[in-house]
Amino acid sequence: MRYIVFDVETPNYKNDSICAIGIAVVENGEIVEEQYHLVDPEDYFSGFNIKLHGVSPVMVEGAMTFPELWFLVLEPMIKDGVLVAHNAPFDMGVLSKSLKRYGIHRECDSYACTVRIGRMCIPEAPNHKLNTLCELLGIDLLHHNAGSDSLACAELLLYYISKGVDIDRFVRKYEYK
């Protein structure tokens, strides 16, 4: 199975645009590729979001827009795999809204959520936030950096697989609207 683990950061509360995305591809029980992209969201940045993830308007000047990144990188990468994210409803929702914003049609994708898997695999954790689970398992994390978050999420996924978790049990279809 091929898993495309991703994390997005947004420039504002609308969550319909992306200013950074991290991707870690998992195949045959190992991370085989990592990517981090700053994205020109063609939208305003709120102070809250800048403070949260550290991505500012100056940093995305000259970066690809979402449609450019989608057609050059993301769509070819995700077509043959299952998307995975920590708190996947958020990341899948941002992806869906970004596609809709630019009139890019996509029917559905298979996805899994490492929060859901973690609740089953590590029920004794005080909570199932990414930073909590990473601290518990000794996984390095620079929280709210999309590259670090996606890599840490991929390492969580590999941990669950190593414990014998059947990830297919957690795979759902996301219907883009």
Side-chain angles (χ1 to χ4, degrees), residues 93-155:
V94 172
L95 180 60
S96 178
K97 289 175 188 176
S98 295
L99 289 166
K100 182 179 180 180
R101 181 174 183 213
Y102 287 101
I104 301 169
H105 180 74
R106 188 163 183 87
E107 288 292 323
C108 66
D109 276 308
S110 296
Y111 78 97
C113 178
T114 54
V115 170
R116 290 189 64 223
I117 300 168
R119 287 183 181 136
M120 191 275 302
C121 191
I122 312 173
E124 69 279 6
N127 62 58
H128 293 87
K129 295 177 181 177
L130 184 60
N131 58 326
T132 302
L133 295 175
C134 287
E135 185 176 329
L136 193 68
L137 299 173
I139 296 171
D140 288 336
L141 176 67
L142 177 57
H143 203 24
H144 297 299
N145 171 287
S148 181
D149 286 357
S150 63
L151 181 58
C153 185
E155 291 181 20

Side-chain angles (χ1 to χ4, degrees), residues 61-73:
E61 284 179 14
M64 286 189 274
T65 62
F66 178 78
E68 292 167 330
L69 186 67
W70 175 258
F71 290 113
L72 289 172
V73 178

Side-chain angles (χ1 to χ4, degrees), residues 5-163:
V5 184
F6 77 108
D7 181 78
V8 299
E9 300 300 341
T10 61
N12 57 57
Y13 72 93
K14 295 187 300 182
N15 296 333
D16 67 351
S17 60
I18 296 169
C19 61
I21 185 168
I23 305 159
V25 179
V26 174
E27 291 180 346
N28 303 316
E30 65 181 283
I31 298 167
V32 297
E33 183 177 355
E34 293 175 57
Q35 292 190 24
Y36 174 77
H37 298 275
L38 290 173
V39 183
D40 178 352
E42 299 183 299
D43 207 347
Y44 72 94
F45 282 74
S46 74
F48 174 84
N49 289 56
I50 293 170
K51 186 175 180 180
L52 181 69
H53 52 59
V55 179
S56 68
V58 171
M59 293 171 67
V60 301
E61 284 179 14
M64 286 189 274
T65 62
F66 178 78
E68 292 167 330
L69 186 67
W70 175 258
F71 290 113
L72 289 172
V73 178
L74 301 177
E75 186 180 40
M77 181 179 280
I78 69 175
K79 68 179 179 174
D80 296 324
V82 174
L83 293 172
V84 177
H86 199 77
N87 189 21
F90 173 79
D91 295 275
M92 295 300 295
V94 172
L95 180 60
S96 178
K97 289 175 188 176
S98 295
L99 289 166
K100 182 179 180 180
R101 181 174 183 213
Y102 287 101
I104 301 169
H105 180 74
R106 188 163 183 87
E107 288 292 323
C108 66
D109 276 308
S110 296
Y111 78 97
C113 178
T114 54
V115 170
R116 290 189 64 223
I117 300 168
R119 287 183 181 136
M120 191 275 302
C121 191
I122 312 173
E124 69 279 6
N127 62 58
H128 293 87
K129 295 177 181 177
L130 184 60
N131 58 326
T132 302
L133 295 175
C134 287
E135 185 176 329
L136 193 68
L137 299 173
I139 296 171
D140 288 336
L141 176 67
L142 177 57
H143 203 24
H144 297 299
N145 171 287
S148 181
D149 286 357
S150 63
L151 181 58
C153 185
E155 291 181 20
L156 273 178
L157 180 68
L158 289 172
Y159 172 81
Y160 299 145
I161 291 169
S162 77
K163 294 299 180 187

